Amino acid sequence: MTKNICILAGARPNFIKVSPLVRAISQRPEANCLLVYAGSADDPTLEASLFDDLQITRPQYYLGVVSTSLNEITSQVMAQFDKFLDEHPVDVVIVVDDLASTMAAAIVTKKRGICLAHLVAGTRSFDIKMPKEINRLVIDALSDYLFTAGVRSTGVATREQSEQSQTYMVGNILMDTLRFNHDRLRRPSLLPDLQENSYLVFTLNRKALLADEANLRRMLTTLIEAANGTPIIAPLRDDAAKTVLANLQFDSMESGICNSIRLIAPLSYLEFGWLTAHAKGVITDSGNVAEEATFNGVPCITLNNYTEHQETVTVGSNVLVGEDPDRLREAVTQLVNGQWKHSALPDRWDGRTADRILQILLA
């Protein structure tokens, strides 16, 4: 009997993580994949090349939820996903990470008595003031299967699991995607003359960091000064690009130091992968980018005081500097001077996570 497996993606990064599962399910005759996106079919963050790059088909279903309010997203996704399940019987729902849409789908799934699996479970900041921390707690508490990426998250999930749930350390599914695409990465067409290992990559998305513009100006000034002439490539989206550009202009009037940072349009998945894999170092506030840097052995500085994937710090190439310009200056100086720590691949970053998950779900 065929098992219907529904995968709910709430935002663009979710597709990068679930693509190995989608491909793996398509090769199993006893399983059928229903890929659902919480947003709309014309979402501008889903560039035309994304699904070709990931070698999966576009989602078959869209819930059409478009909002910036977390509470509105939660209520609308609950309503629309409930309707979806009315029309499409499924045996298990897989939700990813910690978005409001992820929590909403998890609640609806459990209210219907459907088996729920949480991909990348057990991640915690231990800051209850963060909306995503609440999402994580709710999703993990409801899930029947807690699929964790590392030792630390496995410990958290095991301590908190209910009597009905089961925790499995399946590894980091992002590594499945990276390994699958490693030989398919493409040099960005915008940067045809870029020399490998001669530049830094800078990404920024976290709202709290963007909101404090005075400190952001200090961080940008520090980054450029500490880079000491090393080119900085910054593929930024929408509000992040506008905010950084405005603050670079502010600094350029005072010190004229912004010539070494280059803002470019967002890149395709394969082009961005090439850019980070061949960089001298990466400065980011993204956990996914930090994980990719550890996989590639590229020095990474994370603009946050915590990471959901501690193994990128304890084993990998990642260092946390928070939002402190002095700590950023010290780390960037060490990076450009080639004084970075040794790193290795954490346990079960072997590209077989999707296979482990399917083996459990189809048992």
Side-chain angles (χ1 to χ4, degrees):
M1 183 176 178
T2 301
K3 179 169 282 191
N4 289 321
I5 301 175
C6 173
I7 301 177
L8 188 286
R12 180 184 185 275
N14 287 171
F15 288 110
I16 297 171
K17 289 186 177 179
V18 304
S19 59
L21 267 176
V22 174
R23 290 194 302 270
I25 293 170
S26 70
Q27 297 171 4
R28 302 290 290 264
E30 70 271 40
N32 177 48
C33 179
L34 291 79
L35 183 58
V36 181
Y37 182 48
S40 61
D42 59 354
D43 187 331
T45 67
L46 304 184
E47 69 271 19
S49 64
L50 177 63
F51 300 99
D52 288 339
D53 286 352
L54 295 174
Q55 295 285 282
I56 61 173
T57 59
R58 293 185 67 89
Q60 303 104 307
Y61 311 99
Y62 297 85
L63 301 185
V65 175
V66 180
S67 177
T68 57
S69 165
L70 296 181
N71 288 335
E72 286 185 5
I73 291 171
T74 302
S75 61
Q76 291 180 26
V77 169
M78 287 183 68
Q80 295 304 317
F81 193 54
D82 200 38
K83 292 179 182 177
F84 168 82
L85 292 176
D86 278 338
E87 300 170 1
H88 304 88
V90 301
D91 299 293
V92 59
V93 173
I94 301 176
V95 294
V96 193
D97 286 337
D98 50 19
L99 302 173
S101 54
T102 309
M103 181 182 70
I107 293 171
V108 171
T109 300
K110 286 307 292 181
K111 283 189 173 183
R112 284 177 164 263
I114 298 171
C115 185
L116 175 66
H118 187 197
L119 183 57
V120 198
T123 59
R124 296 289 186 275
S125 68
F126 301 103
D127 181 359
I128 200 63
K129 296 178 182 178
M130 292 181 59
K132 285 188 176 181
E133 185 73 354
I134 297 170
N135 297 345
R136 295 165 188 148
L137 290 166
V138 172
I139 299 162
D140 279 356
L142 295 175
S143 294
D144 300 285
Y145 295 99
L146 299 165
F147 294 130
T148 64
V151 173
R152 186 188 187 200
S153 55
T154 300
V156 170
T158 301
R159 287 194 303 271
E160 297 179 3
Q161 72 181 28
S162 67
E163 293 182 1
Q164 292 77 31
S165 63
Q166 295 174 288
T167 298
Y168 299 90
M169 181 175 162
V170 293
N172 191 332
I173 198 163
L174 186 61
M175 300 308 115
D176 293 32
T177 303
L178 293 177
R179 290 179 181 275
F180 178 79
N181 290 295
H182 188 266
D183 295 330
R184 303 175 60 243
L185 300 179
R186 294 194 299 265
R187 178 189 291 271
S189 57
L190 289 172
L191 306 163
D193 300 321
L194 194 63
Q195 297 297 311
E196 297 179 17
N197 199 39
S198 67
Y199 60 90
L200 304 176
V201 176
F202 174 58
T203 78
L204 187 64
N205 187 58
R206 195 156 53 91
K207 292 181 179 179
L209 192 51
L210 290 166
D212 188 352
E213 294 198 29
N215 191 59
L216 179 60
R217 282 195 292 272
R218 289 191 290 270
M219 298 283 282
L220 291 170
T221 300
T222 297
L223 170 60
I224 295 169
E225 289 177 342
N228 196 29
T230 303
I232 303 167
I233 310 299
L236 302 178
R237 293 183 181 273
D238 305 330
D239 291 343
K242 293 175 184 176
T243 303
V244 169
L245 183 60
N247 285 282
L248 283 175
Q249 291 172 343
F250 180 94
D251 282 327
S252 68
M253 290 186 290
E254 293 192 345
S255 56
I257 61 172
C258 73
N259 292 332
S260 64
I261 189 165
R262 179 176 177 184
L263 270 67
I264 62 172
L267 299 172
S268 70
Y269 173 75
L270 294 180
E271 288 184 327
F272 182 76
W274 188 98
L275 187 73
T276 55
H278 295 88
K280 186 178 184 68
V282 175
I283 299 92
T284 185
D285 62 356
S286 165
N288 287 354
V289 174
E291 292 171 62
E292 292 176 11
T294 281
F295 175 78
N296 292 316
V298 173
C300 180
I301 298 168
T302 295
L303 307 178
N304 213 334
N305 288 313
Y306 79 96
T307 174
E308 291 90 347
H309 300 281
Q310 190 62 32
E311 60 269 23
T312 64
V313 176
T314 55
V315 179
S317 63
N318 190 21
V319 167
L320 307 178
V321 300
E323 300 171 17
D324 186 333
D326 293 333
R327 290 166 63 191
L328 176 62
R329 183 185 302 277
E330 180 182 1
V332 174
T333 299
Q334 291 176 342
L335 195 162
V336 297
N337 289 336
Q339 299 171 335
W340 209 249
K341 63 176 180 174
H342 294 290
S343 67
L345 283 182
D347 187 26
R348 295 205 172 184
W349 284 33
D350 55 7
R352 298 176 57 199
T353 295
D355 290 337
R356 293 188 188 101
I357 291 172
L358 276 189
Q359 184 175 1
I360 293 165
L361 292 180
L362 298 178

